[in-house]
Amino acid sequence: MESKGRESTFDDILDALANPYRRQLLVALLAHNPQDDDDRDPLDVIPAPDEPEVLQTELVHVHLPKLADRGYISWNREDNTISKGPNWDEIAPLLELIDTHRDELPDGWL
C-alpha cells in the first residue's frame, strides 16, 4: 500500500512517531535499507517483549500498515521486506534529528 498522494502534515508525522516500535523502526531504516521482515522484529529494535504473539499481531495489523499507508515505508508482505517508502523524505529530517540527539533524549524515547 502506498500513500494516497497528499503531503504529510506535521500531525501525520507525529502520529507515525507516537509508538516506540515505529520510532525505532524508522530510525533504524536511516542506516539500513531495505530490511528483512522474516521475524516479528525485523530490525531488532524491541527489547524482549512480554507478549510476542500480541506484538506480531500489532505489527502486521497496526504498525507496518500505518507506516506503509503514509508512504514512509514500503512493505512487501510476499517478499517480507521493509524499505524506505515514496514519502520517506517527508519524515527523514525529523528522524535524522532524533538520531543525532538520541543520547540527549530521556530513556524510553528511542
Side-chain angles (χ1 to χ4, degrees):
M1 243 185 269
E2 290 191 11
S3 177
K4 305 284 187 253
R6 77 170 176 84
E7 214 172 288
S8 295
T9 65
F10 189 60
D11 288 341
D12 292 335
I13 292 170
L14 291 179
D15 183 50
L17 296 172
N19 178 273
Y21 179 82
R22 292 193 302 260
R23 280 193 303 273
Q24 293 169 12
L25 182 131
L26 289 167
V27 168
L29 277 174
L30 283 169
H32 307 286
N33 182 45
Q35 291 296 319
D36 186 16
D37 182 30
D38 63 357
D39 64 15
R40 63 179 172 72
D41 185 13
L43 299 170
D44 296 323
V45 293
I46 299 174
D50 293 334
E51 300 180 52
E53 290 179 25
V54 170
L55 177 61
Q56 176 67 23
T57 300
E58 288 178 2
L59 285 175
V60 171
H61 296 288
V62 178
H63 302 307
L64 296 176
K66 178 180 286 250
L67 296 175
D69 286 348
R70 297 233 169 99
Y72 302 142
I73 67 167
S74 292
W75 176 35
N76 186 323
R77 292 178 188 226
E78 292 176 20
D79 294 341
N80 291 323
T81 58
I82 298 170
S83 59
K84 295 175 183 175
N87 296 337
W88 177 260
D89 290 343
E90 295 178 1
I91 199 168
L94 190 51
L95 295 171
E96 290 167 0
L97 184 65
I98 290 169
D99 189 44
T100 299
H101 296 280
R102 72 173 49 231
D103 294 337
E104 301 166 38
L105 298 174
D107 290 341
W109 280 29
L110 188 63

